[in-house]
PDB file of all heavy atoms in Angstrom:
ATOM      1  N   LEU A   1      52.425  58.012-196.338  1.00  0.00           N
ATOM      2  CA  LEU A   1      53.808  57.685-196.489  1.00  0.00           C
ATOM      3  C   LEU A   1      54.429  58.555-197.560  1.00  0.00           C
ATOM      4  O   LEU A   1      53.743  58.793-198.617  1.00  0.00           O
ATOM      5  CB  LEU A   1      54.029  56.210-196.816  1.00  0.00           C
ATOM      6  CG  LEU A   1      53.387  55.226-195.825  1.00  0.00           C
ATOM      7  CD1 LEU A   1      53.699  53.783-196.276  1.00  0.00           C
ATOM      8  CD2 LEU A   1      53.920  55.423-194.410  1.00  0.00           C
ATOM      9  N   ILE A   2      55.594  59.068-197.342  1.00  0.00           N
ATOM     10  CA  ILE A   2      56.299  59.902-198.294  1.00  0.00           C
ATOM     11  C   ILE A   2      57.484  59.174-198.821  1.00  0.00           C
ATOM     12  O   ILE A   2      58.492  59.020-198.183  1.00  0.00           O
ATOM     13  CB  ILE A   2      56.799  61.265-197.661  1.00  0.00           C
ATOM     14  CG1 ILE A   2      55.583  61.956-197.008  1.00  0.00           C
ATOM     15  CG2 ILE A   2      57.412  62.175-198.688  1.00  0.00           C
ATOM     16  CD1 ILE A   2      56.004  63.198-196.195  1.00  0.00           C
ATOM     17  N   GLY A   3      57.331  58.587-200.012  1.00  0.00           N
ATOM     18  CA  GLY A   3      58.382  57.845-200.643  1.00  0.00           C
ATOM     19  C   GLY A   3      59.502  58.733-201.207  1.00  0.00           C
ATOM     20  O   GLY A   3      59.307  59.955-201.401  1.00  0.00           O
ATOM     21  N   ASN A   4      60.668  58.125-201.314  1.00  0.00           N
ATOM     22  CA  ASN A   4      61.826  58.933-201.748  1.00  0.00           C
ATOM     23  C   ASN A   4      61.605  59.537-203.129  1.00  0.00           C
ATOM     24  O   ASN A   4      62.249  60.552-203.413  1.00  0.00           O
ATOM     25  CB  ASN A   4      63.091  58.026-201.806  1.00  0.00           C
ATOM     26  CG  ASN A   4      63.538  57.624-200.451  1.00  0.00           C
ATOM     27  OD1 ASN A   4      63.370  58.403-199.461  1.00  0.00           O
ATOM     28  ND2 ASN A   4      64.181  56.503-200.287  1.00  0.00           N
ATOM     29  N   LEU A   5      60.857  58.976-203.984  1.00  0.00           N
ATOM     30  CA  LEU A   5      60.592  59.499-205.315  1.00  0.00           C
ATOM     31  C   LEU A   5      59.318  60.237-205.459  1.00  0.00           C
ATOM     32  O   LEU A   5      58.968  60.631-206.538  1.00  0.00           O
ATOM     33  CB  LEU A   5      60.636  58.337-206.348  1.00  0.00           C
ATOM     34  CG  LEU A   5      61.970  57.534-206.393  1.00  0.00           C
ATOM     35  CD1 LEU A   5      61.892  56.373-207.424  1.00  0.00           C
ATOM     36  CD2 LEU A   5      63.152  58.430-206.716  1.00  0.00           C
ATOM     37  N   MET A   6      58.599  60.441-204.392  1.00  0.00           N
ATOM     38  CA  MET A   6      57.334  61.147-204.461  1.00  0.00           C
ATOM     39  C   MET A   6      57.560  62.615-204.650  1.00  0.00           C
ATOM     40  O   MET A   6      58.441  63.218-204.029  1.00  0.00           O
ATOM     41  CB  MET A   6      56.582  60.901-203.122  1.00  0.00           C
ATOM     42  CG  MET A   6      55.158  61.558-203.094  1.00  0.00           C
ATOM     43  SD  MET A   6      54.297  61.255-201.589  1.00  0.00           S
ATOM     44  CE  MET A   6      53.384  59.835-201.939  1.00  0.00           C
ATOM     45  N   HIS A   7      56.730  63.226-205.562  1.00  0.00           N
ATOM     46  CA  HIS A   7      56.758  64.666-205.742  1.00  0.00           C
ATOM     47  C   HIS A   7      55.725  65.358-204.834  1.00  0.00           C
ATOM     48  O   HIS A   7      54.825  64.691-204.367  1.00  0.00           O
ATOM     49  CB  HIS A   7      56.438  64.985-207.206  1.00  0.00           C
ATOM     50  CG  HIS A   7      57.449  64.489-208.184  1.00  0.00           C
ATOM     51  ND1 HIS A   7      58.594  65.196-208.451  1.00  0.00           N
ATOM     52  CD2 HIS A   7      57.461  63.353-208.979  1.00  0.00           C
ATOM     53  CE1 HIS A   7      59.380  64.482-209.350  1.00  0.00           C
ATOM     54  NE2 HIS A   7      58.639  63.441-209.650  1.00  0.00           N
ATOM     55  N   PHE A   8      55.988  66.611-204.593  1.00  0.00           N
ATOM     56  CA  PHE A   8      55.083  67.348-203.650  1.00  0.00           C
ATOM     57  C   PHE A   8      53.653  67.267-204.115  1.00  0.00           C
ATOM     58  O   PHE A   8      52.761  67.047-203.290  1.00  0.00           O
ATOM     59  CB  PHE A   8      55.499  68.804-203.468  1.00  0.00           C
ATOM     60  CG  PHE A   8      54.577  69.599-202.625  1.00  0.00           C
ATOM     61  CD1 PHE A   8      54.555  69.385-201.203  1.00  0.00           C
ATOM     62  CD2 PHE A   8      53.640  70.445-203.148  1.00  0.00           C
ATOM     63  CE1 PHE A   8      53.691  70.112-200.430  1.00  0.00           C
ATOM     64  CE2 PHE A   8      52.749  71.160-202.338  1.00  0.00           C
ATOM     65  CZ  PHE A   8      52.788  70.990-201.007  1.00  0.00           C
ATOM     66  N   ASP A   9      53.361  67.464-205.447  1.00  0.00           N
ATOM     67  CA  ASP A   9      51.964  67.432-205.896  1.00  0.00           C
ATOM     68  C   ASP A   9      51.282  66.103-205.631  1.00  0.00           C
ATOM     69  O   ASP A   9      50.127  66.056-205.357  1.00  0.00           O
ATOM     70  CB  ASP A   9      51.840  67.868-207.363  1.00  0.00           C
ATOM     71  CG  ASP A   9      52.705  67.022-208.288  1.00  0.00           C
ATOM     72  OD1 ASP A   9      53.619  66.330-207.864  1.00  0.00           O
ATOM     73  OD2 ASP A   9      52.390  67.063-209.471  1.00  0.00           O
ATOM     74  N   GLU A  10      52.018  64.993-205.703  1.00  0.00           N
ATOM     75  CA  GLU A  10      51.491  63.692-205.356  1.00  0.00           C
ATOM     76  C   GLU A  10      51.160  63.572-203.952  1.00  0.00           C
ATOM     77  O   GLU A  10      50.076  63.067-203.534  1.00  0.00           O
ATOM     78  CB  GLU A  10      52.484  62.577-205.782  1.00  0.00           C
ATOM     79  CG  GLU A  10      52.796  62.508-207.265  1.00  0.00           C
ATOM     80  CD  GLU A  10      53.942  61.529-207.513  1.00  0.00           C
ATOM     81  OE1 GLU A  10      55.050  61.779-206.991  1.00  0.00           O
ATOM     82  OE2 GLU A  10      53.742  60.523-208.170  1.00  0.00           O
ATOM     83  N   PHE A  11      52.085  64.087-203.097  1.00  0.00           N
ATOM     84  CA  PHE A  11      51.874  64.042-201.638  1.00  0.00           C
ATOM     85  C   PHE A  11      50.635  64.912-201.273  1.00  0.00           C
ATOM     86  O   PHE A  11      49.800  64.474-200.494  1.00  0.00           O
ATOM     87  CB  PHE A  11      53.127  64.598-200.888  1.00  0.00           C
ATOM     88  CG  PHE A  11      52.974  64.893-199.455  1.00  0.00           C
ATOM     89  CD1 PHE A  11      52.633  63.876-198.606  1.00  0.00           C
ATOM     90  CD2 PHE A  11      53.212  66.105-198.983  1.00  0.00           C
ATOM     91  CE1 PHE A  11      52.505  64.148-197.229  1.00  0.00           C
ATOM     92  CE2 PHE A  11      53.128  66.393-197.616  1.00  0.00           C
ATOM     93  CZ  PHE A  11      52.772  65.412-196.761  1.00  0.00           C
ATOM     94  N   GLU A  12      50.509  66.065-201.862  1.00  0.00           N
ATOM     95  CA  GLU A  12      49.393  66.994-201.587  1.00  0.00           C
ATOM     96  C   GLU A  12      48.081  66.326-201.989  1.00  0.00           C
ATOM     97  O   GLU A  12      47.056  66.339-201.256  1.00  0.00           O
ATOM     98  CB  GLU A  12      49.624  68.332-202.377  1.00  0.00           C
ATOM     99  CG  GLU A  12      48.531  69.311-202.089  1.00  0.00           C
ATOM    100  CD  GLU A  12      48.795  70.644-202.808  1.00  0.00           C
ATOM    101  OE1 GLU A  12      49.311  70.587-203.979  1.00  0.00           O
ATOM    102  OE2 GLU A  12      48.529  71.665-202.181  1.00  0.00           O
ATOM    103  N   LYS A  13      48.061  65.677-203.190  1.00  0.00           N
ATOM    104  CA  LYS A  13      46.890  65.003-203.727  1.00  0.00           C
ATOM    105  C   LYS A  13      46.496  63.898-202.762  1.00  0.00           C
ATOM    106  O   LYS A  13      45.280  63.734-202.450  1.00  0.00           O
ATOM    107  CB  LYS A  13      47.051  64.570-205.095  1.00  0.00           C
ATOM    108  CG  LYS A  13      45.813  63.863-205.698  1.00  0.00           C
ATOM    109  CD  LYS A  13      46.128  63.386-207.123  1.00  0.00           C
ATOM    110  CE  LYS A  13      44.820  62.736-207.627  1.00  0.00           C
ATOM    111  NZ  LYS A  13      45.015  62.130-208.940  1.00  0.00           N
ATOM    112  N   GLU A  14      47.412  63.076-202.342  1.00  0.00           N
ATOM    113  CA  GLU A  14      47.119  61.929-201.521  1.00  0.00           C
ATOM    114  C   GLU A  14      46.595  62.375-200.150  1.00  0.00           C
ATOM    115  O   GLU A  14      45.629  61.832-199.588  1.00  0.00           O
ATOM    116  CB  GLU A  14      48.389  61.055-201.365  1.00  0.00           C
ATOM    117  CG  GLU A  14      48.019  59.750-200.738  1.00  0.00           C
ATOM    118  CD  GLU A  14      49.235  58.779-200.815  1.00  0.00           C
ATOM    119  OE1 GLU A  14      49.962  58.811-201.840  1.00  0.00           O
ATOM    120  OE2 GLU A  14      49.394  57.992-199.852  1.00  0.00           O
ATOM    121  N   THR A  15      47.181  63.469-199.626  1.00  0.00           N
ATOM    122  CA  THR A  15      46.717  64.009-198.315  1.00  0.00           C
ATOM    123  C   THR A  15      45.315  64.593-198.467  1.00  0.00           C
ATOM    124  O   THR A  15      44.488  64.334-197.608  1.00  0.00           O
ATOM    125  CB  THR A  15      47.667  65.099-197.817  1.00  0.00           C
ATOM    126  OG1 THR A  15      49.004  64.553-197.704  1.00  0.00           O
ATOM    127  CG2 THR A  15      47.289  65.686-196.490  1.00  0.00           C
ATOM    128  N   ASN A  16      45.039  65.331-199.541  1.00  0.00           N
ATOM    129  CA  ASN A  16      43.702  65.911-199.761  1.00  0.00           C
ATOM    130  C   ASN A  16      42.665  64.762-199.874  1.00  0.00           C
ATOM    131  O   ASN A  16      41.541  64.928-199.376  1.00  0.00           O
ATOM    132  CB  ASN A  16      43.642  66.794-200.954  1.00  0.00           C
ATOM    133  CG  ASN A  16      44.451  68.093-200.767  1.00  0.00           C
ATOM    134  OD1 ASN A  16      44.734  68.476-199.668  1.00  0.00           O
ATOM    135  ND2 ASN A  16      44.847  68.720-201.859  1.00  0.00           N
ATOM    136  N   GLU A  17      42.989  63.739-200.597  1.00  0.00           N
ATOM    137  CA  GLU A  17      42.039  62.590-200.718  1.00  0.00           C
ATOM    138  C   GLU A  17      41.755  61.916-199.377  1.00  0.00           C
ATOM    139  O   GLU A  17      40.615  61.542-199.113  1.00  0.00           O
ATOM    140  CB  GLU A  17      42.541  61.571-201.787  1.00  0.00           C
ATOM    141  CG  GLU A  17      42.509  62.089-203.186  1.00  0.00           C
ATOM    142  CD  GLU A  17      41.105  62.587-203.644  1.00  0.00           C
ATOM    143  OE1 GLU A  17      40.179  61.800-203.456  1.00  0.00           O
ATOM    144  OE2 GLU A  17      41.044  63.657-204.235  1.00  0.00           O
ATOM    145  N   LEU A  18      42.825  61.817-198.597  1.00  0.00           N
ATOM    146  CA  LEU A  18      42.640  61.242-197.285  1.00  0.00           C
ATOM    147  C   LEU A  18      41.742  62.087-196.389  1.00  0.00           C
ATOM    148  O   LEU A  18      40.852  61.571-195.662  1.00  0.00           O
ATOM    149  CB  LEU A  18      44.038  60.996-196.608  1.00  0.00           C
ATOM    150  CG  LEU A  18      44.032  60.471-195.169  1.00  0.00           C
ATOM    151  CD1 LEU A  18      43.296  59.151-195.095  1.00  0.00           C
ATOM    152  CD2 LEU A  18      45.445  60.339-194.651  1.00  0.00           C
ATOM    153  N   GLU A  19      41.900  63.421-196.432  1.00  0.00           N
ATOM    154  CA  GLU A  19      41.080  64.306-195.704  1.00  0.00           C
ATOM    155  C   GLU A  19      39.590  64.134-196.009  1.00  0.00           C
ATOM    156  O   GLU A  19      38.740  64.102-195.172  1.00  0.00           O
ATOM    157  CB  GLU A  19      41.493  65.796-195.932  1.00  0.00           C
ATOM    158  CG  GLU A  19      42.726  66.224-195.301  1.00  0.00           C
ATOM    159  CD  GLU A  19      43.102  67.646-195.639  1.00  0.00           C
ATOM    160  OE1 GLU A  19      42.848  68.087-196.745  1.00  0.00           O
ATOM    161  OE2 GLU A  19      43.617  68.320-194.718  1.00  0.00           O
ATOM    162  N   LYS A  20      39.339  63.954-197.347  1.00  0.00           N
ATOM    163  CA  LYS A  20      37.971  63.780-197.787  1.00  0.00           C
ATOM    164  C   LYS A  20      37.321  62.510-197.336  1.00  0.00           C
ATOM    165  O   LYS A  20      36.135  62.408-197.223  1.00  0.00           O
ATOM    166  CB  LYS A  20      37.899  63.818-199.326  1.00  0.00           C
ATOM    167  CG  LYS A  20      38.195  65.251-199.888  1.00  0.00           C
ATOM    168  CD  LYS A  20      38.225  65.211-201.425  1.00  0.00           C
ATOM    169  CE  LYS A  20      38.621  66.579-201.979  1.00  0.00           C
ATOM    170  NZ  LYS A  20      38.724  66.534-203.435  1.00  0.00           N
ATOM    171  N   MET A  21      38.182  61.482-197.050  1.00  0.00           N
ATOM    172  CA  MET A  21      37.666  60.246-196.612  1.00  0.00           C
ATOM    173  C   MET A  21      37.535  60.226-195.072  1.00  0.00           C
ATOM    174  O   MET A  21      36.544  59.780-194.541  1.00  0.00           O
ATOM    175  CB  MET A  21      38.597  59.059-197.000  1.00  0.00           C
ATOM    176  CG  MET A  21      38.545  58.734-198.514  1.00  0.00           C
ATOM    177  SD  MET A  21      39.474  57.260-198.881  1.00  0.00           S
ATOM    178  CE  MET A  21      41.146  57.755-198.619  1.00  0.00           C
ATOM    179  N   LEU A  22      38.574  60.813-194.408  1.00  0.00           N
ATOM    180  CA  LEU A  22      38.624  60.691-192.949  1.00  0.00           C
ATOM    181  C   LEU A  22      37.649  61.621-192.244  1.00  0.00           C
ATOM    182  O   LEU A  22      36.960  61.228-191.295  1.00  0.00           O
ATOM    183  CB  LEU A  22      40.041  60.967-192.484  1.00  0.00           C
ATOM    184  CG  LEU A  22      40.324  60.891-190.959  1.00  0.00           C
ATOM    185  CD1 LEU A  22      40.179  59.420-190.530  1.00  0.00           C
ATOM    186  CD2 LEU A  22      41.731  61.379-190.660  1.00  0.00           C
ATOM    187  N   TYR A  23      37.578  62.866-192.630  1.00  0.00           N
ATOM    188  CA  TYR A  23      36.836  63.906-191.940  1.00  0.00           C
ATOM    189  C   TYR A  23      35.342  63.478-191.830  1.00  0.00           C
ATOM    190  O   TYR A  23      34.734  63.494-190.756  1.00  0.00           O
ATOM    191  CB  TYR A  23      36.956  65.233-192.595  1.00  0.00           C
ATOM    192  CG  TYR A  23      36.907  66.426-191.687  1.00  0.00           C
ATOM    193  CD1 TYR A  23      37.023  66.351-190.263  1.00  0.00           C
ATOM    194  CD2 TYR A  23      36.682  67.715-192.193  1.00  0.00           C
ATOM    195  CE1 TYR A  23      36.926  67.445-189.437  1.00  0.00           C
ATOM    196  CE2 TYR A  23      36.594  68.844-191.396  1.00  0.00           C
ATOM    197  CZ  TYR A  23      36.727  68.750-189.984  1.00  0.00           C
ATOM    198  OH  TYR A  23      36.627  69.805-189.167  1.00  0.00           O
ATOM    199  N   PRO A  24      34.634  63.172-192.959  1.00  0.00           N
ATOM    200  CA  PRO A  24      33.199  62.822-192.850  1.00  0.00           C
ATOM    201  C   PRO A  24      32.994  61.573-191.958  1.00  0.00           C
ATOM    202  O   PRO A  24      32.012  61.601-191.190  1.00  0.00           O
ATOM    203  CB  PRO A  24      32.822  62.507-194.287  1.00  0.00           C
ATOM    204  CG  PRO A  24      33.823  63.201-195.141  1.00  0.00           C
ATOM    205  CD  PRO A  24      35.116  63.166-194.334  1.00  0.00           C
ATOM    206  N   LEU A  25      33.900  60.637-192.041  1.00  0.00           N
ATOM    207  CA  LEU A  25      33.751  59.428-191.263  1.00  0.00           C
ATOM    208  C   LEU A  25      33.854  59.705-189.777  1.00  0.00           C
ATOM    209  O   LEU A  25      33.031  59.234-188.949  1.00  0.00           O
ATOM    210  CB  LEU A  25      34.775  58.343-191.620  1.00  0.00           C
ATOM    211  CG  LEU A  25      34.814  57.050-190.864  1.00  0.00           C
ATOM    212  CD1 LEU A  25      33.473  56.341-190.992  1.00  0.00           C
ATOM    213  CD2 LEU A  25      35.889  56.156-191.365  1.00  0.00           C
ATOM    214  N   VAL A  26      34.831  60.531-189.403  1.00  0.00           N
ATOM    215  CA  VAL A  26      35.010  60.909-187.957  1.00  0.00           C
ATOM    216  C   VAL A  26      33.825  61.699-187.469  1.00  0.00           C
ATOM    217  O   VAL A  26      33.316  61.482-186.376  1.00  0.00           O
ATOM    218  CB  VAL A  26      36.355  61.632-187.710  1.00  0.00           C
ATOM    219  CG1 VAL A  26      36.418  62.215-186.343  1.00  0.00           C
ATOM    220  CG2 VAL A  26      37.541  60.731-188.056  1.00  0.00           C
ATOM    221  N   ILE A  27      33.354  62.673-188.304  1.00  0.00           N
ATOM    222  CA  ILE A  27      32.226  63.397-187.864  1.00  0.00           C
ATOM    223  C   ILE A  27      30.968  62.569-187.649  1.00  0.00           C
ATOM    224  O   ILE A  27      30.216  62.700-186.656  1.00  0.00           O
ATOM    225  CB  ILE A  27      31.878  64.525-188.975  1.00  0.00           C
ATOM    226  CG1 ILE A  27      32.956  65.588-188.981  1.00  0.00           C
ATOM    227  CG2 ILE A  27      30.481  65.167-188.719  1.00  0.00           C
ATOM    228  CD1 ILE A  27      32.975  66.464-190.187  1.00  0.00           C
ATOM    229  N   ASP A  28      30.719  61.582-188.599  1.00  0.00           N
ATOM    230  CA  ASP A  28      29.629  60.630-188.377  1.00  0.00           C
ATOM    231  C   ASP A  28      29.796  59.872-187.120  1.00  0.00           C
ATOM    232  O   ASP A  28      28.780  59.689-186.387  1.00  0.00           O
ATOM    233  CB  ASP A  28      29.642  59.656-189.633  1.00  0.00           C
ATOM    234  CG  ASP A  28      28.458  58.756-189.646  1.00  0.00           C
ATOM    235  OD1 ASP A  28      27.380  59.192-189.254  1.00  0.00           O
ATOM    236  OD2 ASP A  28      28.598  57.583-190.109  1.00  0.00           O
ATOM    237  N   LYS A  29      30.985  59.465-186.763  1.00  0.00           N
ATOM    238  CA  LYS A  29      31.212  58.699-185.512  1.00  0.00           C
ATOM    239  C   LYS A  29      30.918  59.571-184.302  1.00  0.00           C
ATOM    240  O   LYS A  29      30.279  59.148-183.316  1.00  0.00           O
ATOM    241  CB  LYS A  29      32.679  58.203-185.421  1.00  0.00           C
ATOM    242  CG  LYS A  29      32.978  57.128-186.404  1.00  0.00           C
ATOM    243  CD  LYS A  29      32.369  55.789-185.971  1.00  0.00           C
ATOM    244  CE  LYS A  29      32.820  54.644-186.846  1.00  0.00           C
ATOM    245  NZ  LYS A  29      32.304  53.394-186.433  1.00  0.00           N
ATOM    246  N   ILE A  30      31.309  60.822-184.350  1.00  0.00           N
ATOM    247  CA  ILE A  30      31.090  61.760-183.207  1.00  0.00           C
ATOM    248  C   ILE A  30      29.574  61.935-183.025  1.00  0.00           C
ATOM    249  O   ILE A  30      29.085  61.908-181.932  1.00  0.00           O
ATOM    250  CB  ILE A  30      31.778  63.116-183.474  1.00  0.00           C
ATOM    251  CG1 ILE A  30      33.302  62.951-183.353  1.00  0.00           C
ATOM    252  CG2 ILE A  30      31.290  64.166-182.411  1.00  0.00           C
ATOM    253  CD1 ILE A  30      34.085  64.163-183.794  1.00  0.00           C
ATOM    254  N   LEU A  31      28.866  62.180-184.174  1.00  0.00           N
ATOM    255  CA  LEU A  31      27.388  62.409-184.054  1.00  0.00           C
ATOM    256  C   LEU A  31      26.692  61.165-183.542  1.00  0.00           C
ATOM    257  O   LEU A  31      25.625  61.323-182.913  1.00  0.00           O
ATOM    258  CB  LEU A  31      26.862  62.806-185.432  1.00  0.00           C
ATOM    259  CG  LEU A  31      27.339  64.148-185.964  1.00  0.00           C
ATOM    260  CD1 LEU A  31      26.816  64.385-187.370  1.00  0.00           C
ATOM    261  CD2 LEU A  31      26.920  65.290-185.087  1.00  0.00           C
TER     262      LEU A  31
END
């Protein structure tokens, strides 16, 4: 979610953290 007061660096950090959680989990499920 992108809040009205969110700065780009916060958005980028949150997206990067989500990638680190989601990608390994999905790969594990595929395998």
Side-chain angles (χ1 to χ4, degrees):
L1 304 180
I2 305 172
N4 290 331
L5 300 177
M6 182 179 266
H7 294 279
F8 176 75
D9 58 341
E10 296 171 300
F11 170 59
E12 182 177 40
K13 181 179 178 186
E14 194 168 323
T15 303
N16 290 341
E17 290 304 311
L18 177 58
E19 287 179 323
K20 290 176 186 176
M21 289 187 290
L22 183 65
Y23 210 20
L25 178 59
V26 172
I27 291 166
D28 188 33
K29 291 284 187 178
I30 291 169
L31 293 174

